[in-house]
Amino acid sequence: MSGSALSYETITVAKAGGVAIVTMNRPEKLNAMNQTFFHELPAVMDELTADPAVSAAVLTGAGRAVSAGGDLAMFPALMADVAAVRPHLKLVFDAVHAIERAGVVVIAAVNGIAHGGGTEITLACDFAFASTEASFAFREASLGLIPGFGLTRGPDVIGLPWTTRLATSAEVIDAETARSIGLVMEVCPPDGLMDRATGVASSIAAN
């Protein structure tokens, strides 16, 4: 996609024709979310909201994942200092809420792994498309943790029973199951995912 582009450390943004492509860009880490990402995501959403030329955004990931979840490199420091957990959780919630409050329609294009925070970002978007290779999970349960935003947003999107099941079992579901429970709207072939998502985004921008 041609057009103006903004570069951040963990995210790239390309804009053209009223549509922004927002790509989580740590493919070597399966786009695991670190502190830098949590600071950058609200800045990206504010930038798009402030741009009168942008009406819709497609949020995806570089490589084979949207995101495998939180960067495990952060956890030792957090577990060693309980006082650090509360500001960290606020940072995480503020980042994901930035998607919800964005002044543009945000569409998830889930190209592969979307575990933990990856599923939470999918929930935060206005709607989502997924590749047949996509998978979703709240893996936090396997670490004795809970998906904070997932528990608050999940019941509105996929219902309380599925939210409870995923948050407590750490079960991984495929794209078709995600479609059947309302987490994603459509399932696409991998090579057609971005065309489908950007096509719908372009229709929104045209209106």
Side-chain angles (χ1 to χ4, degrees):
M1 172 173 287
S2 62
S4 61
L6 298 170
S7 292
Y8 297 79
E9 185 177 327
T10 66
I11 301 170
T12 62
V13 181
K15 297 186 284 188
V19 176
I21 305 298
V22 179
T23 305
M24 299 174 63
N25 194 32
R26 299 182 77 209
E28 74 286 355
K29 296 285 189 179
L30 296 178
N31 299 318
M33 303 173 188
N34 59 10
Q35 296 274 342
T36 301
F37 171 80
F38 292 127
H39 283 290
E40 290 185 341
L41 184 59
V44 170
M45 291 298 146
D46 288 346
E47 175 75 24
L48 299 182
T49 297
D51 189 340
V54 175
S55 298
V58 176
L59 178 58
T60 192
R64 60 189 184 92
V66 163
S67 177
D71 191 335
L72 294 180
M74 298 185 300
F75 286 91
L78 291 172
M79 299 304 288
D81 181 7
V82 176
V85 174
R86 182 168 295 186
H88 172 74
L89 289 178
K90 183 179 186 305
L91 183 66
V92 173
F93 268 76
D94 286 348
V96 185
H97 282 311
I99 300 172
E100 291 186 307
R101 70 167 188 267
V104 299
V105 176
V106 183
I107 304 166
V110 184
N111 51 302
I113 297 167
H115 295 176
T119 293
E120 291 177 306
I121 278 184
T122 304
L123 287 166
C125 290
D126 293 293
F127 54 92
F129 298 111
S131 158
T132 53
E133 297 179 352
S135 64
F136 303 85
F138 289 136
R139 298 295 294 164
E140 290 89 342
S142 66
L143 300 172
L145 303 172
I146 61 170
F149 180 82
L151 289 177
T152 60
R153 178 67 168 157
D156 291 337
V157 179
I158 62 175
L160 182 59
W162 267 106
T163 300
T164 302
R165 174 174 169 176
L166 294 177
T168 55
S169 69
E171 178 182 358
V172 178
I173 61 172
D174 61 18
E176 282 296 341
T177 302
R179 184 196 59 77
S180 73
I181 65 176
L183 180 57
V184 303
M185 184 173 286
E186 296 180 22
V187 177
C188 310
D191 59 359
L193 174 65
M194 289 304 295
D195 284 346
R196 180 60 174 148
T198 57
V200 173
S202 294
S203 295
I204 292 169
N207 291 318

